[in-house]
């Protein structure tokens, strides 16, 4: 959504490149799953724009100096750099586990102090900032458009407000001149920088303005973040950046709605606070979380439930069963082609082959149309399951043709370029021969209606650490982490 809080066609500043700044983590602890909803949305946007042919320059900052990081590092009696480096590396590993595309840059706030000081100097020169009690503050009264992102007017809010605010985070009713540079205090330990304004450190809000300017320029296309960043963080970014440059800051603001856990706000006190590591300890695959979060539109609140995890695991298994069966029938088709044979069933549906392929191509268009509609992921995923409903009957009857199989494979890969949960590795190659032999014996037992032997063989496969799923006339065996 743009400042106007309405839908409008996307028009990049450059014809072929889109510049995006996404608010990244504050590395004082492991990010919780609510943070990852915002990071996954940024990845969805990144992947979708690439699929539409744009080059994407994405910058995601790492806040490694603020009130929280300093307080936590001092509590652990560790240097700020050592402490935040550990959580930065953990964050980057989480991104890999969630299949989040690498950003163009991950600037750390501590590596951009010079840029922050330069911005503050200009704001002071332009009288948009002032020094008081050793700290530097932004003068709200010099920016009449303050509040335009959150749709309030400065003159309507000023009564009862005013003064100065040294906190990084505060509520709208407490807004006032915000801090750009914080005077050194003993509670900061050994964390400080020398500056023309005195010994101290940057305020949180100036960090993102300085880093976005360094890597994307004064004016760029899209800024993303959680809805909790709208105020004061993003409102303050707009004010200081536009007063510094005299230009519009960002064309489009995209904010991700809150995450709930079992219908309640996530909180350590409620025992419903999860990090990605907490979920993996519960044997929840990170890609299951990815699917869950992307299946709900980014502007709608997302309710994480363990029951929902189970439903998503079943949905992913359904897709991957189709992929496995497709791979198996493609191998059969290759063998037939090599021997110059065609099965009667293939000849039977050959007349409908072109219609099925044309239908598949229309479904690809529907998939992208859904994504083009304000990243409507739920509609995009519904297209996927419509396609499964179309092709599974062909797989059930062994009526897949090479042309349809290739069209289906193209479609599935396009889906996975965005959602990244489909297992294209041949399941057969993962399963040892002794396990495959047991599965074949079980299929024979089922065919002969020897259900006692079938159950015995199933239990034997499970005891060896594998999952057993029943498809039409076939035992599907998977590793437990598949």
């Amino acid at each position: 959504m743009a400042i106007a809080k309405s839908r409008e066609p996307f028009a990049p500043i450059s014809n072929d490149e889109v510049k995006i700044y996404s608010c990244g983590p504050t590395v004082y602890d492991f990010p919780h799953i609510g943070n990852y909803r915002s990071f996954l949305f940024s990845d969805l946007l990144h992947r979708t724009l690439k699929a539409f042919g744009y080059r994407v320059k994405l910058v995601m900052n790492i806040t490694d100096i603020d009130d929280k990081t300093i307080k936590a590092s001092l509590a652990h009696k560790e240097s700020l750099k050592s402490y935040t480096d550990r959580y930065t590396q953990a964050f980057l590993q989480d991104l890999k586990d969630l299949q989040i595309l690498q950003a163009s840059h991950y600037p750390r706030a501590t590596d951009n102090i010079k840029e922050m000081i330069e911005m503050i100097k200009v704001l002071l020169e332009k009288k948009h900032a002032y020094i008081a009690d050793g700290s530097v503050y932004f003068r709200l009264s010099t920016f009449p458009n303050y509040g335009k992102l959150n749709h309030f007017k400065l003159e309507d809010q000023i009564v009862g407000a005013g003064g100065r605010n040294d906190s990084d985070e505060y509520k709208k009713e407490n807004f006032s001149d915000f801090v750009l540079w914080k005077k050194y205090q003993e509670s900061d330990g050994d964390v400080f920088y020398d500056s023309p304004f005195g010994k101290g450190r940057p305020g949180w809000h100036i960090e993102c303005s300085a880093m976005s300017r360094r890597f994307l320029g004064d004016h760029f296309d899209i800024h993303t973040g959680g809805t909790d960043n709208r105020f004061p963080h993003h409102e303050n970014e707009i004010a200081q950046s536009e007063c510094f440059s005299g230009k519009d800051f960002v064309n489009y603001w995209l904010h991700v709605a809150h995450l709930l856990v079992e219908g309640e706000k996530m909180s350590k006190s409620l025992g419903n606070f999860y990090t990605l590591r907490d979920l993996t300890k519960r044997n929840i695959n990170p890609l299951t979380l990815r699917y869950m979060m992307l299946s709900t539109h980014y502007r709608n609140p997302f309710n994480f439930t363990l029951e929902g995890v189970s439903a998503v695991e079943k949905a992913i298994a359904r897709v991957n069963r189709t992929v496995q069966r497709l791979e198996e029938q493609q191998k059969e088709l290759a063998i037939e082609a090599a021997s110059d044979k065609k099965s009667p069933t293939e000849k039977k549906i050959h007349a409908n082959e072109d219609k099925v392929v044309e239908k598949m191509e229309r479904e690809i268009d529907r998939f992208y149309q859904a994504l083009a509609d304000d990243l409507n992921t739920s509609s995009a995923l519904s297209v996927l399951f419509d396609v499964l409903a179309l092709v599974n009957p062909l797989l059930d009857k062994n009526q897949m043709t090479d042309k349809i199989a290739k069209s289906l494979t193209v479609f599935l890969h396009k889906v996975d370029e965005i959602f990244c949960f489909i297992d294209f590795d041949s399941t057969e190659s993962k399963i040892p021969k002794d396990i495959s032999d047991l599965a074949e014996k079980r299929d024979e037992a089922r065919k002969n209606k020897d259900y006692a032997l079938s159950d015995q063989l199933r239990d034997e496969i499970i005891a060896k650490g594998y999952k057993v799923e029943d498809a039409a006339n076939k035992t599907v065996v998977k590793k437990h982490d598949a």
Side-chain angles (χ1 to χ4, degrees):
M1 297 294 114
I3 290 285
K5 204 176 180 180
S6 60
R7 290 192 184 201
E8 56 185 74
F10 175 62
I13 297 169
S14 170
N15 287 332
D16 63 345
E17 183 181 51
V18 179
K19 295 181 179 180
I20 306 171
Y21 187 88
S22 292
C23 280
T26 300
V27 286
Y28 71 103
D29 202 345
F30 297 115
H32 56 67
I33 59 173
N35 300 136
Y36 279 111
R37 188 179 191 208
S38 178
F39 306 150
L40 282 164
F41 168 73
S42 176
D43 185 62
L44 168 68
L45 177 64
H46 187 177
R47 289 176 177 276
T48 300
L49 288 168
K50 285 187 68 176
F52 288 155
Y54 292 106
R55 289 186 297 112
V56 176
K57 186 174 185 180
L58 171 65
V59 176
M60 179 176 285
N61 71 293
I62 293 175
T63 299
D64 60 351
I65 178 170
D66 77 330
D67 296 346
K68 294 176 182 176
T69 52
I70 292 172
K71 183 178 178 180
S73 64
L74 290 173
H76 287 80
K77 298 180 180 179
E78 192 173 350
S79 73
L80 182 66
K81 177 170 174 46
S82 172
Y83 185 82
T84 57
D85 277 354
R86 184 165 67 256
Y87 288 109
T88 298
Q89 292 309 311
F91 164 70
L92 295 174
Q93 181 58 53
D94 285 351
L95 296 188
K96 292 179 182 177
D97 293 341
L98 287 163
Q99 295 289 304
I100 291 175
L101 287 177
Q102 186 170 340
S104 307
H105 303 279
Y106 292 105
R108 301 187 189 201
T110 53
D111 291 334
N112 292 272
I113 301 297
K114 176 184 174 184
E115 286 73 18
M116 297 169 201
I117 290 173
E118 289 301 315
M119 282 195 76
I120 295 170
K121 284 170 63 178
V122 171
L123 290 170
L124 282 167
E125 291 167 4
K126 291 186 172 184
K127 309 299 183 186
H128 291 297
Y130 60 93
I131 299 174
D133 300 326
S135 294
V136 184
Y137 297 88
F138 182 86
R139 196 188 306 272
L140 285 185
S141 60
T142 66
F143 187 60
N145 285 330
Y146 190 80
K148 65 180 178 178
L149 179 65
N150 288 277
H151 303 281
F152 66 80
K153 292 183 178 180
L154 186 61
E155 61 266 26
D156 295 337
Q157 302 289 325
I158 204 69
V159 177
R164 298 190 295 269
N165 202 324
D166 290 285
S167 299
D168 287 336
E169 300 176 72
Y170 49 90
K171 296 185 183 297
K172 196 179 296 183
E173 57 267 24
N174 301 124
F175 85 95
S176 56
D177 291 353
F178 58 89
V179 67
L180 299 171
W181 186 263
K182 295 187 177 188
K183 177 184 177 181
Y184 174 76
Q185 299 179 6
E186 288 187 9
S187 59
D188 291 337
D190 62 354
V191 179
F192 64 86
Y193 298 87
D194 292 322
S195 80
F197 341 112
K199 189 165 91 172
R201 61 184 173 90
W204 176 39
H205 310 298
I206 195 69
E207 294 179 2
C208 284
S209 286
M211 288 185 281
S212 65
R213 179 174 181 270
R214 177 179 176 182
F215 292 97
L216 299 175
D218 291 320
H219 180 211
F220 56 93
D221 297 289
I222 302 173
H223 198 314
T224 76
T227 190
D228 54 321
N229 290 140
R230 288 179 66 97
F231 188 91
H233 188 48
H234 290 166
E235 198 71 65
N236 291 353
E237 279 189 73
I238 292 171
Q240 62 203 9
S241 295
E242 295 192 358
C243 285
F244 169 84
S245 69
K247 303 174 184 177
D248 287 339
F249 179 40
V250 174
N251 283 0
Y252 301 91
W253 290 87
L254 301 177
H255 291 100
V256 183
H258 287 298
L259 173 138
L260 302 173
V261 176
E262 304 289 352
E264 295 184 295
K265 185 177 180 180
M266 186 167 55
S267 166
K268 289 182 179 178
S269 63
L270 293 175
N272 65 355
F273 186 95
Y274 296 118
T275 66
L276 188 62
R277 284 157 180 76
D278 294 329
L279 298 186
T280 54
K281 287 176 183 176
R282 290 172 171 257
N283 295 318
I284 297 173
N285 191 313
L287 298 186
T288 300
L289 180 67
R290 180 186 175 94
Y291 181 110
M292 289 181 77
M293 290 193 171
L294 293 183
S295 65
T296 299
H297 192 274
Y298 74 93
R299 286 190 290 106
N300 294 331
F302 170 69
N303 185 29
F304 175 86
T305 67
L306 295 178
E307 183 179 342
V309 169
S310 178
V312 166
E313 287 174 339
K314 290 176 182 176
I316 291 175
R318 180 183 168 194
V319 176
N320 285 332
R321 278 198 299 271
T322 299
V323 171
Q324 180 190 357
R325 296 168 68 204
L326 174 64
E327 290 174 347
E328 290 168 351
Q329 291 199 22
Q330 281 181 307
K331 288 177 183 176
E332 293 174 6
L333 289 168
I335 292 170
E336 290 171 4
S339 59
D340 197 28
K341 291 181 180 179
K342 282 189 176 180
S343 66
T345 53
E346 185 180 350
K347 291 178 181 177
K348 181 179 179 181
I349 70 156
H350 192 273
N352 296 322
E353 183 180 61
D354 289 342
K355 291 183 179 180
V356 174
V357 171
E358 287 173 9
K359 170 72 172 172
M360 204 81 68
E361 290 171 352
R362 289 196 299 272
E363 295 300 86
I364 290 174
D365 289 342
R366 279 183 62 212
F367 177 75
Y368 284 129
Q369 286 167 9
L371 293 174
D373 181 19
D374 194 24
L375 299 160
N376 192 335
T377 48
S378 56
S379 292
L381 284 170
S382 72
V383 175
L384 168 63
F385 288 98
D386 287 346
V387 168
L388 296 190
L390 173 69
V391 300
N392 274 326
L394 302 181
L395 293 167
D396 291 340
K397 299 172 185 177
N398 198 29
Q399 292 182 334
M400 182 61 62
T401 70
D402 185 59
K403 190 173 181 179
I404 296 173
K406 287 178 179 176
S407 180
L408 175 57
T409 299
V410 168
F411 172 81
L412 291 171
H413 276 281
K414 288 184 181 297
V415 170
D416 202 57
E417 284 174 1
I418 304 297
F419 289 99
C420 303
F421 67 88
I422 301 177
D423 184 3
F424 288 105
D425 294 332
S426 173
T427 304
E428 181 180 321
S429 65
K430 299 179 183 178
I431 306 301
K433 186 176 186 304
D434 62 324
I435 302 297
S436 297
D437 289 344
L438 289 173
E440 289 180 10
K441 289 178 182 178
R442 184 170 183 266
D443 289 340
E444 189 66 24
R446 291 175 70 197
K447 182 178 179 181
N448 296 331
K449 298 185 178 181
D450 188 344
Y451 299 117
L453 178 58
S454 170
D455 290 346
Q456 177 185 329
L457 291 165
R458 178 199 62 207
D459 293 344
E460 190 174 343
I461 294 169
I462 292 172
K464 290 180 180 289
Y466 292 84
K467 291 190 289 188
V468 174
E469 298 173 0
D470 290 329
N473 302 317
K474 184 172 180 63
T475 298
V476 177
V477 179
K478 295 182 179 180
K479 288 184 178 180
H480 269 292
D481 61 350

